Amino acid sequence: MEIKRAAEIIRNGGVVAFPTETVYGLGANALDAQAVAKIFELKERPSFDPLIVHLAAPAQIFDYIVNSQCMLPLQQTYIQWLTEKFWPGPLTIVLPKNTRIPDIVTAGLPTVALRMPDNPVALELIRLSGCPLAAPSANKFGCLSPTTAEHVRKQLPELECVLDGGAARVGIESTVVSLQEDGFTILRQGAITRTDLEKILPVSGRAVSGLPSPGLLKSHYSPAKPLYFPGQKEVDKARAGLISLRGENTAGYKLTATLSPSGDLREAAANLFGALHKMEDAEIDCIVAEPVPETGIGLAIMDRLRKAAYRWKTP
Ligand code: TXA
Ligand code: MG
């Protein structure tokens, strides 16, 4: 579907799925509480889970956060450093919100999560819509995130408009950071790592105010089948699928998915949700996932796998 037509749907208070560099989003006008309510309905998302607001330019941040005069100069400097270095890109920044952002977007929190996606279709959609887009990942709550338009259609077949931008380049949801006067706190791991962030600003010594980020839920992003780490449970390999980094130790499994033959963790991240969707759709009883090295984006991969496995842990 054309971007122009999708923007028209957004302007009329509707909901549209669109590609970003991380995962596909389910967007509506972030300034229209009724439009945003439709996202929660479609996703079957609990109202305590706040949404990310997507912008088309860094300067738009200041339209939606507390008056810059109330802000400490250091916090403003940090915003500038972060956006110069990482926007457009897979970094979401949580800041105190102003009244233009309806409470439904932030689930009543005094803060709003903002991000400028690095995808030409997404940016064009935001520009043509003439408003920021509130958008969670375009999946049912708690289920696998979509990295292709096909994945979106699988979980949300009732959706009228799905813009197709091909497979997502990064493949894992954005890093979410809370920005305070003295530095940052990571609320969700992603392609931009703590080491990347520490190069330009300090780690905050303060606790994040309000509720902890639902991104910190222990169980999330689950496939519709049990997922185990090797050795966690005895499985019948002939009825199981194996997800591994380099495609090793595959003997006996009914189905296998290799994340990156060369062991490149960025490539692995880009292939992770595709592999999980493939396993979810296959005729197998369970999924075994080999751990990956926990360096760089490997931390975010393991975070998603642990959340997927958590439901199936025996106490
Ligand atoms: O890569 C992404 O971030 C994708 C694409 C579509 O942009 N979006 C995404 O949205 O993953 P969602 O709704 O699935 O995840 C948003 C995360 C959640 O973990 C939520 O708890 C956190 O951001 N979040 C949103 N607003 C927040 C706030 N005010 N304070 C703390 N955490 C917040
Ligand atoms: Mg999500």
Side-chain angles (χ1 to χ4, degrees), residues 22 45 49-50 52 54 111 113 115 136-137 173-174 188 213-215:
T22 57
R45 182 174 176 121
D49 202 358
I52 295 174
H54 294 70
T111 52
R115 143 168 150 82
S137 47
E173 301 85 349
S174 61
R188 181 174 69 184
S213 177

Side-chain angles (χ1 to χ4, degrees), residues 42-62:
L42 273 163
K43 258 191 88 99
E44 295 167 25
R45 182 174 176 121
S47 56
F48 63 75
D49 202 358
L51 308 180
I52 295 174
V53 173
H54 294 70
L55 309 173
Q60 291 173 354
I61 284 191
F62 296 99

Side-chain angles (χ1 to χ4, degrees), residues 12 18 54 65 76 85 89 110 115 125-126 137 139-140 144 153 163 177 180 195 233 249 251 299 309 312-313:
N12 291 328
F18 64 97
H54 294 70
I65 64 175
Q76 280 200 52
K85 175 101 177 109
R115 143 168 150 82
L125 176 66
I126 301 168
S137 47
N139 54 308
K140 293 276 186 195
L144 292 176
R153 289 191 201 102
L163 288 175
V177 298
Q180 303 194 69
T195 318
K233 200 181 157 121
N249 308 320
L299 284 163
W312 314 103
K313 248 172 131 169

Side-chain angles (χ1 to χ4, degrees), residues 117-266:
D118 185 17
N119 177 291
V121 177
L123 292 175
E124 185 66 5
L125 176 66
I126 301 168
R127 280 188 210 109
L128 291 178
S129 300
C131 58
L133 295 187
S137 47
N139 54 308
K140 293 276 186 195
F141 181 72
C143 299
L144 292 176
S145 292
T147 53
T148 65
E150 268 311 293
H151 295 161
V152 178
R153 289 191 201 102
K154 181 172 107 179
Q155 289 191 32
L156 301 166
E158 68 275 40
L159 206 59
E160 185 198 333
C161 177
V162 180
L163 288 175
D164 193 340
R169 174 173 60 78
V170 175
I172 271 192
E173 301 85 349
S174 61
T175 305
V176 180
V177 298
S178 157
L179 198 55
Q180 303 194 69
E181 292 89 329
D182 66 334
F184 73 93
T185 307
I186 292 187
L187 301 178
R188 181 174 69 184
Q189 312 259 17
I192 292 166
T193 63
R194 186 188 173 94
T195 318
D196 297 332
L197 293 162
E198 273 175 353
K199 281 183 192 145
I200 59 169
L201 74 169
V203 177
S204 169
R206 302 178 188 196
V208 178
S209 59
L211 293 166
S213 177
L216 300 173
L217 289 175
K218 281 186 173 152
S219 170
H220 210 41
Y221 315 107
S222 303
K225 297 203 166 84
L227 183 142
Y228 306 112
F229 289 111
Q232 190 182 328
K233 200 181 157 121
E234 211 166 304
V235 303
D236 175 7
K237 288 187 180 179
R239 297 279 319 151
L242 177 77
I243 297 180
S244 69
L245 181 59
R246 290 191 165 83
E248 289 159 347
N249 308 320
T250 55
Y253 284 97
K254 179 164 184 194
L255 182 69
T256 60
T258 302
L259 297 179
S260 168
S262 66
D264 176 344
L265 291 173
R266 289 192 175 271

